[in-house]
């Protein structure tokens, strides 16, 4: 079945830019959603349909999706952005898949 | 305020059954797809099952297909997950999650924008 590959961890200094990738075969043909999960909390949708943000999510969060990689970019990183980030797609079979998650650490 | 509240978690013996419930409020429940997503201790997110807005379409992860059953009662704003023949690897926090869209086959998920706080299921003898 379809596999989504994320790096286990990404480290970034405050004020810099964090990039979280999500690899998949021709993922550019799918809609990708991104979630942020802080310890002990439920996940929060931060980007849907590759690049759109739900209300309340700052413009610092952006997404792109092309060919075999989808990317979540967090600009001007703040300490509060430290969390696990997951990408998600759905398959024509009806199955929904999550990537393995990326832990973003703010140095 | 849009909210989802899960209940029914607990300790269940392998092979016994358990039913999880999810109560929705603050939105038109019958318009949106709803899913169950779980997270085993220290692990990532795993989608378990989903259902379209009208209950006509049900979707399952391969890991639970044939063992779990999802249902909904739109008159009561309720979603259910019947866990039959649970195994130790079903131990997890189970989240009830609202979809942004109707979860029809042409778009199973448009993104999951409201999450409950989760209910813990432990499968152990």
């Amino acid at each position: 079945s379809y596999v989504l590959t994320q790096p286990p961890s990404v480290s970034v200094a405050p004020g810099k830019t964090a990039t979280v990738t999500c690899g998949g075969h021709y993922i550019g043909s799918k809609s990708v959603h991104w979630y942020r999960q802080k310890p002990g909390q439920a996940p929060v949708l931060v980007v849907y349909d590759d690049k759109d943000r739900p209300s309340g999510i700052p413009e610092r969060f952006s997404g792109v999706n092309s060919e075999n990689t989808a990317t979540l970019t967090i600009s001007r990183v703040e300490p509060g952005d430290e969390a696990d980030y997951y990408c998600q797609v759905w398959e024509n079979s009806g199955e929904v898949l999550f990537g393995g998650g990326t832990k973003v650490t703010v140095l | 305020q849009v909210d989802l509240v899960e209940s029914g978690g607990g300790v269940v013996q392998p092979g016994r059954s358990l039913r999880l419930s999810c109560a929705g409020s603050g939105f038109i429940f019958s318009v949106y797809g709803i899913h169950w997503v779980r997270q085993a201790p220290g692990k990532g997110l795993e989608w378990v099952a989903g259902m379209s807005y009208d209950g006509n379409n049900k979707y399952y992860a391969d890991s639970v297909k044939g063992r779990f059953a999802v249902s909904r009662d739109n008159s009561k704003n309720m979603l259910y997950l019947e866990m039959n023949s649970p195994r130790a690897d079903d131990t997890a926090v189970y989240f009830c999650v609202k979809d942004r869209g109707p979860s029809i086959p042409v778009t199973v998920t448009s993104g999951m924008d409201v999450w409950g706080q989760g209910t813990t299921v432990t499968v152990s003898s």
Side-chain angles (χ1 to χ4, degrees), chain A residues 45-63:
Chain A
L45 180 68
V46 293
V47 167
Y48 65 92
D49 291 346
D50 299 338
K51 58 178 177 52
D52 294 328
R53 287 183 311 278
S55 60
I57 300 301
E59 294 182 3
R60 300 186 299 104
F61 288 82
S62 62

Side-chain angles (χ1 to χ4, degrees), chain A residues 43-93:
Chain A
V44 171
L45 180 68
V46 293
V47 167
Y48 65 92
D49 291 346
D50 299 338
K51 58 178 177 52
D52 294 328
R53 287 183 311 278
S55 60
I57 300 301
E59 294 182 3
R60 300 186 299 104
F61 288 82
S62 62
V64 295
N65 184 17
S66 179
E67 298 186 354
N68 295 310
T69 304
T71 303
L72 174 70
T73 301
I74 311 171
S75 304
R76 302 180 299 283
V77 165
E78 302 174 355
D81 297 329
E82 188 163 285
D84 294 326
Y85 290 82
Y86 296 90
C87 59
Q88 179 197 53
V89 300
W90 64 274
E91 287 260 77
N92 290 334
S93 63

Side-chain angles (χ1 to χ4, degrees), chain B residues 25-47:
Chain B
S25 61
F27 64 102
I28 304 174
F29 191 83
S30 60
V31 172
Y32 297 97
I34 305 286
H35 305 266
W36 290 99
V37 175
R38 69 185 180 185
Q39 188 167 36
K43 303 297 184 181
L45 302 174
E46 180 188 15
W47 173 81

Side-chain angles (χ1 to χ4, degrees), chain B residues 48-100:
Chain B
V48 174
M51 176 171 271
S52 61
Y53 70 106
D54 57 2
N56 286 341
N57 297 283
K58 304 177 184 181
Y59 316 98
Y60 296 98
D62 287 345
S63 58
V64 306
K65 200 172 295 183
R67 299 188 301 120
F68 290 10
V70 63
S71 61
R72 66 190 294 165
D73 185 342
N74 284 343
S75 69
K76 298 180 179 178
N77 288 2
M78 295 292 296
L79 181 78
Y80 305 99
L81 183 69
E82 192 78 31
M83 303 174 60
N84 299 309
S85 302
R87 309 183 300 226
D89 61 359
D90 294 319
T91 294
V93 174
Y94 284 73
F95 295 100
C96 175
V97 192
K98 170 189 167 293
D99 203 282
R100 290 182 56 255

